[in-house]
Amino acid sequence: MSLYAVVDPATGEVVQDYPTATDAQVDAAVAAAQNAYTTWSKTSTVAQRADLIRKVGKLHTERRDELAKIIQREMGKPLDQSLGEVDFSAAIYEYYADHAEKFLADEPIDLLEGEGSAFIRRSPVGVLLGIMPWNYPYYQVARFAGPNLTLGNTIVLKHAPQCPESAAALQQIFADAGYPEGAYVNVYATNEQIADAIGDPRVQGVSLTGSERAGAAVAEVAGRNLKKVVLELGGSDPFILLSSDDIDATVSAAVDGRFENTGQACNAAKRFIVDESVYDEFVEKFTAKVKSNADGLAPLSSVAAADRLEEQIAGVVKDGATLESAGERKGAYFPPGVLTGVNPDLASAKQELFGPVATVYKVSGEDAAVELANDTPFGLGSYVFTTDREQALRVADKIDAGMVFINAVGAEGAELPFGGVKRSGFGRELGRFGIDEFVNKKMIRVS
């Protein structure tokens, strides 16, 4: 089997192999992107580029059924969630089409002395390299490509090896939308080829969504070559529950926050930190609801992913935790479960569990909840549930994370910036801030 292949996680069947790019093909992709930057980017207007990205969104909508079935085949995402991902991606492209001219308008600067004027003009920087993960094959690309193509940067895109079919479908969409050759180029490249591409002087920046290990490797190469990077890495997001006037609704939110995409989301709620006043009722109802969802759960992205999760869970249980599970693992299908009695001081508790298993902790009071929430190397998202608005905002201020959602899960939007701190990476995608990462904020002073 080649590096790039569609392997249906539900059956283990190799659906199709895709040839890995040669060194010459990767170089040609970078050359095409550079040529598109020096021609198309330099001569097109923001309005023209907005029209193109709007067409990309419309094509996602027109092809939503086909696109959804592709990623269901590639990484096991349930069909309804696959359709939702396509729709959200379309909304992101439309968002940047609607707001590009406002976001990229000249920004005046008030002079402290002297006559004349000064302003900031936002312009593209050139060829960007995108390195994407498998868990959201369309949405991750939309977060990166939407703002940057609208700005005028051109893109060389390396998708995850298990997502070659969706990568090809996206390449076709950008071509059918009317982008010139080289504006968006998909490459089935190896990690070694990508490392060389990062060092290529024609490449001006790199965006990666993936593991800590991958982020560190990319940042190291980029740093040596003085290239800017945006990194969206792992997360062990806390779900802090301090009080509730509807525990059943809170439990439903907790299940949704943990088990969307079969628990394979960087910003999923993973550590449930529950005040002792509601702990017993929450654990009882949460565990029952988690176990009741076992029959409808999709497979993990691969057997290898299930192997790793099984190994991690075994380590936590060996260290004294208790696992309540809905059944036995079968291939890539991993039974949903709840871990309690976890010692947060042990190394096994510091890992990100990428799958349908939740960890629940009991704490006494707000300060203890915040302390435990911050006791992690990660800092991506977080969730705070309480009936006290002042407490919610107070806790939100204390949490070391890039995002805080109060009394809500699944509340992400195209307009809301996404990103983290600590070992969850740096930089932001989506919203106004997403278009401001790979941009030349050129100061122009007129006397």
Side-chain angles (χ1 to χ4, degrees), residues 39-58:
T39 55
W40 167 72
S41 294
K42 296 292 188 180
T43 58
S44 59
T45 65
V46 174
Q48 289 169 335
R49 296 193 295 269
D51 285 343
L52 284 174
I53 211 69
R54 192 183 303 280
K55 290 177 184 175
V56 170
K58 288 181 178 178

Side-chain angles (χ1 to χ4, degrees), residues 180-199:
E181 182 179 356
Y184 178 99
V185 191
N186 174 67
V187 289
Y188 298 126
T190 66
N191 290 340
E192 293 75 20
Q193 289 169 332
I194 289 301
D196 290 340
I198 294 172

Side-chain angles (χ1 to χ4, degrees), residues 288-336:
K289 192 170 183 64
V290 166
K291 293 170 72 173
S292 71
N293 288 340
D295 292 340
L297 211 61
L300 295 186
S301 62
S302 65
V303 171
D307 287 342
R308 171 161 173 73
L309 182 60
E310 186 172 51
E311 181 181 340
Q312 289 176 300
I313 298 300
V316 178
V317 172
K318 183 180 178 181
D319 284 339
T322 299
L323 174 66
E324 282 279 342
S325 180
E328 299 296 323
R329 176 196 159 190
K330 296 178 181 178
Y333 286 89
F334 202 96

Side-chain angles (χ1 to χ4, degrees), residues 24 28 88 121 202 204 210 216 240 268 309 334 344 385 421:
F88 192 16
R121 174 159 292 168
R202 295 169 294 186
Q204 301 303 312
I240 298 175
L309 182 60
F334 202 96
F385 277 70
V421 297

